[in-house]
Amino acid sequence: MTMEAYTTITGEIPTDGVSPVLYEIQRSRFLAYVIHAEDEDEVRTWLQGVKKEHYEARHVPYAMVFGVHSDRQRSSDDGEPGGTAGSPILEAIKARGITNTAVAVVRYFGGIKLGAGGLIRAYAHAAGLGLDAAAKVRMTPLQTMYVRLDYDLLAVVECYVREAQLLTEEADYADTVTLSLLVPTGDIDTHQRALTDLTAGRARYRLGERRHVAIPHT
């Protein structure tokens, strides 16, 4: 099965003044919360906590997106006029290409009605602020490539690994050295050929598991 890369967030925005992210317009206050989540049950448990904390708020609409292809989506207006809250939040998530995440926006009514268009813009903007504040990672499919070599080759191979900016895991130092490299699946042959040339054919290779690895997203 082909593994594909996707972008998600690392977790709930820290509670040190960054979460929730506040957006205020016409005296209405919108507080955006964002979490990383893998399934709907996890989101619903989290939503209960948000609503309990903000029991005086009139509305807490939300949206969630799951799956590598963002093919599982759900949203709720939570009492706001149809299509003015949950859908704009959902679109904010989709517009940023983020999955396995949920956004809830708490609204405290300020006494001035925003109208349907105003609500759509406000919820979309608040959700976007929350998502933009969250740290993101690119879940990248990588394959473990074990490289076994003699100690006299270690320095030159480690130099290659640094220059190629390959991710590594803990090496095994025994009679020989076995390096554990994390390599993009399409680049395995390229790196094997380069290391074979570099070591005059003395390096030996073994492929391990393929898995998604979190790479900081800029």
Side-chain angles (χ1 to χ4, degrees):
M1 179 182 297
T2 301
M3 298 176 66
E4 298 183 31
Y6 62 91
T7 301
T8 187
I9 64 169
T10 58
E12 186 167 0
I13 303 174
T15 58
D16 58 359
V18 179
S19 174
V21 174
L22 172 65
Y23 172 59
E24 190 167 353
I25 181 172
Q26 300 283 18
R27 296 205 296 267
S28 281
R29 298 170 62 237
F30 296 82
L31 296 97
Y33 288 85
V34 181
I35 63 164
H36 172 86
E38 300 288 340
D39 58 58
E40 189 170 337
D41 289 341
E42 184 180 353
V43 173
R44 296 204 178 279
T45 299
W46 167 71
L47 282 170
Q48 290 175 2
V50 173
K51 290 184 176 183
K52 183 177 180 180
E53 180 180 353
H54 296 282
Y55 63 91
E56 294 181 339
R58 290 195 175 197
H59 308 284
V60 186
Y62 59 86
M64 60 189 87
V65 177
F66 306 111
V68 174
H69 300 288
S70 301
D71 51 353
R72 289 182 289 137
Q73 305 173 4
R74 185 175 296 276
S75 64
S76 170
D77 295 312
D78 194 39
E80 291 281 31
T84 63
S87 292
I89 297 172
L90 179 61
E91 290 303 315
I93 300 173
K94 292 164 58 180
R96 287 161 175 78
I98 301 172
T99 189
N100 289 353
T101 193
V103 179
V105 179
V106 180
R107 180 195 180 196
Y108 286 96
F109 182 53
I112 300 175
K113 292 184 178 181
L114 301 178
L119 283 175
I120 291 171
R121 290 188 293 273
Y123 276 112
H125 187 65
L129 290 176
L131 288 163
D132 292 343
K136 301 167 191 69
V137 290
R138 185 68 172 168
M139 299 302 294
T140 305
L142 300 177
Q143 183 152 13
T144 308
M145 184 173 78
Y146 298 102
V147 183
R148 184 164 59 88
L149 57 140
D150 294 323
Y151 280 88
D152 64 308
L153 297 171
L154 181 57
V156 69
V157 170
E158 285 182 332
C159 181
Y160 173 84
V161 169
R162 288 193 299 270
E163 290 179 353
Q165 298 183 329
L166 296 177
L167 296 179
T168 62
E169 295 183 310
E170 187 174 355
D172 179 30
Y173 298 96
D175 293 337
T176 58
V177 183
T178 300
L179 301 179
S180 179
L181 311 181
L182 297 174
V183 181
T185 53
D187 296 341
I188 291 172
D189 288 343
T190 297
H191 291 299
Q192 285 186 353
R193 285 195 300 268
L195 289 170
T196 296
D197 292 341
L198 195 62
T199 63
R202 293 169 59 194
R204 296 292 179 265
Y205 312 101
R206 177 171 59 88
L207 297 181
E209 68 174 343
R210 287 187 300 168
R211 67 183 189 274
H212 281 103
V213 177
I215 309 295
H217 182 70
T218 57

